[in-house]
Amino acid sequence: MRIVIYSMLVLLIAIQYPLWLGKGGWLKVYEMERQVELQEAKNSLLALRNAKLSGDVKDLKDGTRAIEERARVEHGLIKEGEFFVQILPADKPATAQPTKQ
């Protein structure tokens, strides 16, 4: 009778092994679900970035405001008839220009 009980116990363990540790076991499924959640979070961030870039491309193709804004911000350009005024913070003294002799 003992042999039957031990053999059934070994058979039960042998059947449970693929369920927990096999190729499609619970541990693998849990790990894959976690990876899917991480990838979905990355995808949502990338989708937001793509939407922003798509809006920038559309604005660059259709209008001149985006081009003008980029020229002003990135290259410091000004329009004809405009004046550029730079205000320095009070705590930092302006660097003196070297005088020509």
Side-chain angles (χ1 to χ4, degrees):
M1 189 67 171
R2 263 188 188 173
I3 295 175
V4 173
I5 292 174
Y6 288 134
S7 62
M8 294 295 264
L9 185 62
V10 168
L11 186 61
L12 181 66
I13 291 172
I15 291 173
Q16 291 292 315
Y17 175 79
L19 177 66
W20 293 98
L21 303 173
K23 184 176 179 182
W26 290 108
L27 298 176
K28 298 281 184 183
V29 169
Y30 174 74
E31 179 64 29
M32 294 298 271
E33 285 177 351
R34 207 169 57 96
Q35 288 178 3
V36 167
E37 288 174 3
L38 290 173
Q39 190 62 46
E40 285 175 348
K42 286 180 186 179
N43 288 350
S44 65
L45 290 175
L46 290 175
L48 289 174
R49 187 193 71 170
N50 287 348
K52 181 183 175 194
L53 289 174
S54 176
D56 286 347
V57 168
K58 183 178 180 263
D59 196 23
L60 286 170
K61 284 182 179 180
D62 295 342
T64 59
R65 287 188 68 172
I67 296 170
E68 181 180 337
E69 180 184 343
R70 282 189 181 232
R72 288 176 180 270
V73 172
E74 293 176 5
H75 302 291
L77 300 178
I78 59 172
K79 285 183 178 178
E80 190 173 317
E82 288 182 338
F83 295 100
F84 177 75
V85 179
Q86 183 176 9
I87 301 172
L88 298 175
D91 59 344
K92 293 183 180 178
T95 57
Q97 297 291 331
T99 57
K100 293 184 181 178
Q101 294 181 3

